[in-house]
Amino acid sequence: MKKKILVIAPHPDDEVLGAGGILAKSKEFGFKTKVLTIGTNFAPPIKKERLEKSIKEAKKAHKILKVDKSVFFNIPALTVHKEPTEILTNRISEEIKSFDPSIVLIPFPDMHQDHKAVFNLSMAVTRPKGIGKKISLVACYEVPSATYFSAPNIEPNFYRNWNVDISSSIKKKSNAMKEYKSTFQKNEFARSTKAINSLASFRGSQVGFNYAESFYIIRHQSKNILF
């Protein structure tokens, strides 16, 4: 099986919050990794200096996680749904085609409208037809800064059915998040080191690991789950 993981993120830092552990851990098993970030952390108008700072932070975070390739569409926050669907779908499809991943990790469709929009786009381009036939695993990751602000049983609930032991990579995940100085909060909220470690510890406790990242598998074509 091809050893390539693509993480599609609505905004910079979502990839670390939801999949930073698996991105770092996968390098231990010889995987190549790519992060495609669709939007920015800022609504329009966006100053050039602010955007450049955000991209620089993301690249520093990705360096810690040893991400092989980082791509940014730089669509302003809260406007992803306004982009022409056919154009954005084609752009994402081209990124998948050029990288040819075996695993694609996408955001859970929580209350954030950008997360929902990116989820819908990702589901369209990873269908088991065309380039989607070559993808072995498609799964949603949780983003605590948004996933747990949804209204239980009114909006979709995140239910895990795949848990990855990230005990060996939790420090890299936390350190990568620290590079997002524009959004990182030291002692509180979902983007803090405390919150990241607490969620990973809780997820680990549910399955017998020290630390874990949890995912919801949408489609799995291979007989063997990874790691």
Side-chain angles (χ1 to χ4, degrees), residues 100-134:
D100 192 23
S102 50
I103 300 171
V104 178
L105 303 178
I106 67 178
F108 179 74
D110 52 47
M111 68 174 296
H112 197 303
Q113 63 186 28
D114 286 350
H115 293 199
K116 290 177 180 177
V118 174
F119 169 82
N120 289 333
L121 290 164
S122 299
M123 287 296 293
V125 299
T126 60
R127 288 175 296 175
K129 57 184 293 186
I131 60 171
K133 280 187 176 181
K134 301 171 71 176

Side-chain angles (χ1 to χ4, degrees), residues 1-3 22 31 102-103 135-138 161-162 164 217 219-227:
M1 188 175 78
K2 297 170 295 182
K3 290 191 170 186
I22 192 174
F31 278 75
S102 50
I103 300 171
I135 299 171
S136 299
L137 177 68
V138 179
N161 57 12
W162 181 33
V164 177
I217 294 176
R219 183 165 53 257
H220 182 220
Q221 297 173 347
S222 174
K223 291 182 180 179
N224 298 314
I225 207 76
L226 302 173
F227 313 132

Side-chain angles (χ1 to χ4, degrees), residues 13-202:
D13 82 10
D14 288 335
E15 81 287 0
V16 176
L17 288 168
I22 192 174
L23 279 169
K25 181 185 177 72
S26 68
K27 305 306 290 185
E28 302 170 17
F29 293 83
F31 278 75
K32 288 188 176 181
T33 57
K34 176 177 178 177
V35 174
L36 170 59
T37 307
I38 305 298
T40 69
N41 279 326
F42 319 108
I46 303 173
K47 293 183 179 180
K48 182 181 178 182
E49 297 80 8
R50 200 176 187 188
L51 178 59
E52 289 177 346
K53 180 181 179 182
S54 178
I55 293 175
K56 189 177 292 186
E57 290 175 347
K59 288 183 176 179
K60 286 182 178 179
H62 294 177
K63 185 176 181 179
I64 291 173
L65 301 175
K66 297 184 178 180
V67 172
D68 294 294
K69 188 170 184 180
S70 306
V71 178
F72 304 90
F73 284 0
N74 295 327
I75 298 171
L78 306 179
T79 68
V80 176
H81 68 286
K82 295 180 180 180
E83 293 289 309
T85 301
E86 67 278 10
I87 293 177
L88 202 45
T89 298
N90 287 336
R91 290 183 70 187
I92 297 172
S93 295
E94 285 302 313
E95 294 297 334
I96 292 176
K97 186 177 180 180
S98 66
F99 187 59
D100 192 23
S102 50
I103 300 171
V104 178
L105 303 178
I106 67 178
F108 179 74
D110 52 47
M111 68 174 296
H112 197 303
Q113 63 186 28
D114 286 350
H115 293 199
K116 290 177 180 177
V118 174
F119 169 82
N120 289 333
L121 290 164
S122 299
M123 287 296 293
V125 299
T126 60
R127 288 175 296 175
K129 57 184 293 186
I131 60 171
K133 280 187 176 181
K134 301 171 71 176
I135 299 171
S136 299
L137 177 68
V138 179
C140 285
Y141 55 85
E142 54 185 338
V143 181
S145 60
T147 300
Y148 301 109
F149 291 156
S150 297
N153 300 317
I154 297 176
E155 296 176 291
N157 295 331
F158 179 82
Y159 294 109
R160 57 186 173 72
N161 57 12
W162 181 33
N163 305 281
V164 177
D165 185 354
I166 62 165
S167 302
S168 64
S169 58
I170 183 64
K171 287 185 179 179
K172 288 182 179 179
K173 175 174 175 144
S174 296
N175 288 337
M177 189 62 218
K178 289 178 183 177
E179 294 297 338
Y180 283 108
K181 302 186 189 304
S182 300
T183 55
F184 181 75
Q185 298 188 33
K186 189 174 181 180
N187 295 315
E188 59 182 359
F189 201 58
R191 292 182 174 89
S192 68
T193 299
K194 180 180 179 181
I196 288 172
N197 289 333
S198 294
L199 178 59
S201 177
F202 173 64

